[in-house]
Amino acid sequence: MNIKIFINRSLLGILIIATCGPIFIFVTISRQHKKTMQGEMVSESSIDTIPFTYSSTGHIVIPVHVQGSQETFPFFLDTGASNIIFSSHKNQFKLKRNGFGIGKGASLNFFTTKINQCSLVQIGAFMFKEVSFEEVNINSDCVDEICGIIGTGIMHNLEWQIDFNNMEIIIADSLKHLQIPADAISLPLEQNPFTSHLHTKIKFRKNKRQHSVLIDVGNSGTLNLKKSTKKSTCKFT
């Protein structure tokens, strides 16, 4: 018995897109992550201290030397982001194109983003060669003076101790060079293998299950909860 199967061409095209689309996004994001985590630390320093300020939006701002410049440029410090250069400041640094990636917006929309390479970045006494930055367009007057974000692409190479009282950040190549207080509280951290974002688990109410939260120094200080988390953990009065 001969059995013939007829498949509509348009339906076949939809099936191929539906199958290959997620694979393409996964491969692109994986390659993008590898690029943004590139960068060779070339300094021999073991520890240094840098000042920080707050932007008008409440975010931490640090001074950064770019492309061997004598002057420093203001960048956000953010464990919740990759290295980012804002489009309005890209041309002043003469960056080299290094491919493209896929970003995800605050409204959960996906968009393509250019990846640019910087030959030299210096934070305090620590220098990095061939650092990649995602290019992002920010439409906000509040960050006009900010050039971009120093994120996980650079931060994962060092240890960062933030002194909020004195508005200083101690940077070291090893924990042994940092003075950890005897009463310090340690939290176990989990790292996203693709974005390097840091998470930990906490309880919002006694005897409730733990929830995973993002450790984000780029947050301006407000605790943000998903609607589902609010309903299950919070009691409003």
Side-chain angles (χ1 to χ4, degrees):
M1 178 176 63
N2 294 326
I3 299 176
K4 296 182 179 181
I5 300 176
F6 297 93
I7 300 178
N8 184 284
R9 290 184 178 181
S10 60
L11 178 60
L12 179 60
I14 293 174
L15 290 174
I16 292 175
I17 293 174
T19 303
C20 297
I23 296 176
F24 171 77
I25 293 174
F26 175 80
V27 172
T28 302
I29 292 177
S30 298
R31 290 176 178 174
Q32 170 187 350
H33 172 65
K34 290 179 180 179
K35 286 182 178 180
T36 55
M37 298 299 283
Q38 290 174 350
E40 178 187 0
M41 189 166 68
V42 294
S43 55
E44 297 181 357
S45 300
S46 58
I47 188 170
D48 197 13
T49 300
I50 63 171
F52 75 85
T53 58
Y54 291 106
S55 69
S56 58
T57 56
H59 296 85
I60 292 176
V61 179
I62 63 171
V64 180
H65 295 276
V66 182
Q67 303 288 44
S69 63
Q70 293 296 318
E71 63 178 315
T72 60
F73 299 92
F75 279 73
F76 289 138
L77 184 69
D78 189 354
T79 57
S82 303
N83 298 329
I84 290 175
I85 192 77
F86 295 148
S87 300
S88 56
H89 293 273
K90 180 194 67 172
N91 293 333
Q92 72 186 96
F93 298 129
K94 298 180 180 180
L95 305 179
K96 182 174 63 176
R97 181 70 59 82
N98 191 25
F100 77 98
I102 296 177
K104 191 174 183 181
S107 58
L108 303 182
N109 60 305
F110 287 94
F111 59 91
T112 58
T113 177
K114 299 174 184 176
I115 297 179
N116 299 284
Q117 193 170 64
C118 180
S119 59
L120 187 65
V121 173
Q122 181 176 349
I123 303 173
F126 294 93
M127 291 186 292
F128 301 85
K129 290 174 58 178
E130 308 303 333
V131 178
S132 290
F133 287 85
E134 293 182 47
E135 182 182 335
V136 174
N137 184 32
I138 299 292
N139 296 316
S140 174
D141 295 336
C142 298
V143 296
D144 278 348
E145 74 281 6
I146 306 300
C147 297
I149 296 174
I150 297 299
T152 55
I154 286 180
M155 293 189 72
H156 80 280
N157 293 284
L158 298 164
E159 310 294 340
W160 303 72
Q161 187 177 45
I162 303 176
D163 184 343
F164 290 98
N165 291 330
N166 297 312
M167 296 184 67
E168 294 179 337
I169 301 176
I170 302 94
I171 311 171
D173 62 357
S174 173
L175 280 176
K176 67 182 181 181
H177 297 301
L178 298 179
Q179 295 182 0
I180 308 298
D183 58 349
I185 298 174
S186 298
L187 296 175
L189 298 178
E190 297 177 358
Q191 186 178 45
N192 186 306
F194 296 105
T195 65
S196 289
H197 294 165
L198 301 176
H199 296 259
T200 191
K201 292 182 178 180
I202 63 174
K203 290 183 178 181
F204 293 98
R205 294 176 63 186
K206 187 177 180 180
N207 298 326
K208 288 287 184 177
R209 69 182 181 88
Q210 291 183 326
H211 293 267
S212 180
V213 296
L214 179 67
I215 304 298
D216 186 2
V217 299
N219 186 287
S220 59
T222 303
L223 177 62
N224 297 313
L225 300 177
K226 294 180 179 179
K227 288 184 178 180
S228 58
T229 304
K230 289 180 181 178
K231 292 179 180 179
S232 62
T233 63
C234 299
K235 181 179 180 181
F236 299 96
T237 58

